[in-house]
Amino acid sequence: MEHIENDDQFGGLTVNQGVAQPPVVNPYLRARRRRVLPSAGELVEGILKGDITTLARAVTLVESLSPDHQAIAQEVIEKCLPHSGKSRRIGITGVPGAGKSTSIDVFGLHVLRRGGKLAVLAIDPSSERTKGSILGDKTRMEKLSVHPDAFIRPSPSAGSLGGVARKTRETIVLCEAAGFNNIFVETVGVGQSETAVHSMVDFFLLIQLAGTGDELQGIKRGIMEMADGIVINKADGDNIQRAQLAQTQFRSALHLFPPTASGWSPEVLTYSGYFELGIPEVWDMIDRYFAFVDANGYFERKRSEQARYWMYETIDEQLRANFYNNPEIEHMLTEREARVLSNRQSSFTAARDILDHYFGNKL
Ligand code: GDP
């Protein structure tokens, strides 16, 4: 091409012939950058074969907030459901420092010695605030994290407790379809997350510590009432006697509770996760529980009740999310809240206005 700028009258300025755009050096680069989503069919096939990488990918989609991911995830869950259910789901709770991770590591190895596979999941509603969950963190479970038959997954960080719990519940389905016949769901023993865990497990284990003699005071009665087994950890060294004293106190406290729906009488045992003392005894108790509830039909009944519970929970959660994530509603909430706070409108009429607006648009 001729460039008039190269004429003598434009002294000092030279424009060179351009160089054509070189061809793509690595034609695969572009393709690799745009990650193709796997199809639901591919994921299900991998999961049913027990492929851990596929399982992990599917769980990531379950946890994702993107509608595209959710669509695939829901299809995968639906297809995995007929292959799920064949596992022992055990909830494990205890305050931070009670020894949950140490114990899960040794309980897990004990279970795996008997064969089968173990998934360790977690529910930590604070994980969004703290940017990452401390529960279900692989580094906390040294032996399990390198075990080929263990799958450890930290708590999903999906905002509300309802959202986090639903995702964990869905992950259980995928793990079971992948052949995991033991599921542990860990939660921190301080609040509402126990109720969520309780509603998705068959056996609920409460890890306690022997303390200064007033250990019963710090525990919410509701959590104790949910427990099918209470185990007092760190029964080692100088602590053995105190652990035994705590055991007696817990046993007498449990006598005051109403009979459980399962008909099972919760047991109280002492053990040491760190020194691996009393582990088989804890597991014998859990075996006895499963034999008991299998025989009296409670196992099946509880699973059906849980399925119903999760149907309603999912409806509640999705309605709530739909409402609060609606931009118009968000705007209205801010505005009405200001009015309510400055006494310009009552809480009830403000709520009614917002709901009327929402349902007016919806129905
Ligand atoms: P988590 O916060 O409930 O997961 O508790 P960890 O498993 O991290 O344990 C908290 C601390 O207690 C750690 O320093 C453990 O080493 C210690 N620990 C856990 N189990 C035992 C035990 O059986 N005996 C003793 N003496 N210490 C333990």
Side-chain angles (χ1 to χ4, degrees):
M1 196 219 279
E2 280 302 308
H3 289 280
I4 55 157
E5 299 92 329
N6 291 348
D7 196 283
D8 280 348
Q9 58 175 313
F10 302 107
L13 183 73
T14 322
V15 177
N16 293 325
Q17 193 75 34
V19 178
Q21 178 75 22
V24 178
V25 179
N26 179 352
Y28 298 105
L29 205 60
R30 193 191 291 263
R32 251 201 294 144
R33 232 183 269 142
R34 208 188 304 128
R35 257 187 102 179
V36 188
L37 278 178
S39 74
E42 281 168 334
L43 289 170
V44 173
E45 200 188 316
I47 290 173
L48 294 182
K49 270 195 231 144
D51 178 53
I52 304 267
T53 315
T54 311
L55 173 65
R57 270 191 106 180
V59 172
T60 305
L61 296 182
V62 165
E63 291 173 353
S64 165
L65 297 176
S66 133
D68 287 356
H69 295 178
Q70 272 304 309
I72 301 177
Q74 292 308 318
E75 200 182 328
V76 173
I77 293 164
E78 212 49 44
K79 293 200 167 119
C80 283
L81 261 178
H83 306 276
S84 71
K86 293 174 220 82
S87 80
R88 287 181 167 191
R89 305 170 182 165
I90 296 170
I92 299 178
T93 193
V95 293
K100 290 183 296 303
S101 32
T102 314
S103 306
I104 289 174
D105 215 22
V106 292
F107 289 155
L109 287 184
H110 181 78
V111 164
L112 287 172
R113 256 179 240 126
R114 311 198 300 190
K117 299 202 281 182
L118 167 70
V120 181
L121 313 176
I123 292 191
D124 179 1
S126 68
S127 59
E128 196 182 45
R129 253 177 291 134
T130 53
K131 293 288 167 230
S133 168
I134 52 153
L135 295 185
D137 180 353
K138 286 188 181 174
T139 56
R140 294 165 64 241
M141 298 160 198
E142 284 174 20
K143 296 181 201 120
L144 274 188
S145 59
V146 292
H147 199 292
D149 296 321
F151 176 72
I152 304 177
R153 190 82 188 183
S155 177
S157 52
S160 71
L161 171 60
V164 173
R166 179 169 59 84
K167 286 168 192 300
T168 302
R169 156 102 186 163
E170 291 173 343
T171 300
I172 292 180
V173 171
L174 303 191
C175 291
E176 289 176 349
F180 285 82
N181 57 341
N182 295 285
I183 312 277
F184 290 178
V185 185
E186 180 189 11
T187 188
V188 76
V190 287
Q192 289 175 311
S193 45
E194 282 75 24
T195 319
V197 174
H198 188 246
S199 61
M200 65 177 84
V201 298
D202 309 310
F203 185 94
F204 196 63
L205 187 70
L206 171 61
I207 299 183
Q208 283 293 335
L209 290 176
T212 51
D214 57 357
E215 39 281 295
L216 293 179
Q217 289 176 14
I219 310 150
K220 294 205 177 63
R221 189 190 150 97
I223 297 181
M224 260 186 80
E225 244 170 297
M226 276 186 241
D228 300 299
I230 297 178
V231 284
I232 298 151
N233 189 17
K234 309 195 188 181
D236 46 57
D238 299 345
N239 215 19
I240 292 185
Q241 278 195 334
R242 270 188 292 163
Q244 284 167 349
L245 178 65
Q247 183 181 26
T248 314
Q249 288 175 328
F250 276 111
R251 278 187 179 151
S252 42
L254 282 178
H255 281 306
L256 305 174
F257 284 8
T260 58
S262 58
W264 164 260
S265 306
E267 296 185 15
V268 186
L269 298 173
T270 64
Y271 78 107
S272 166
Y274 190 83
F275 292 99
E276 303 193 21
L277 306 168
I279 310 297
E281 287 77 1
V282 172
W283 236 256
D284 286 349
M285 161 177 74
I286 294 178
D287 286 342
R288 276 199 302 282
Y289 173 85
F290 277 98
F292 183 84
V293 294
D294 268 343
N296 73 5
Y298 181 76
F299 180 87
E300 283 305 322
R301 206 160 66 239
K302 189 173 180 186
R303 287 253 172 129
S304 323
E305 274 168 23
Q306 289 175 335
R308 192 182 51 179
Y309 172 89
W310 283 101
M311 184 181 106
Y312 285 104
E313 272 296 300
T314 307
I315 294 174
D316 283 357
E317 190 226 324
Q318 306 266 308
L319 283 178
R320 204 180 278 266
N322 187 284
F323 177 79
Y324 284 106
N325 294 334
N326 179 317
E328 278 181 45
I329 297 296
E330 269 180 70
H331 175 77
M332 225 176 150
L333 280 169
T334 321
E335 187 233 351
R336 295 302 160 118
E337 190 185 299
R339 284 201 213 173
V340 169
L341 290 176
S342 57
N343 286 327
R344 281 180 290 140
Q345 189 174 18
S346 81
S347 329
F348 305 105
T349 59
R352 205 191 53 217
D353 286 352
I354 299 169
L355 288 170
D356 280 351
H357 184 75
Y358 180 72
F359 288 115
N361 285 344
K362 287 277 156 229
L363 297 175

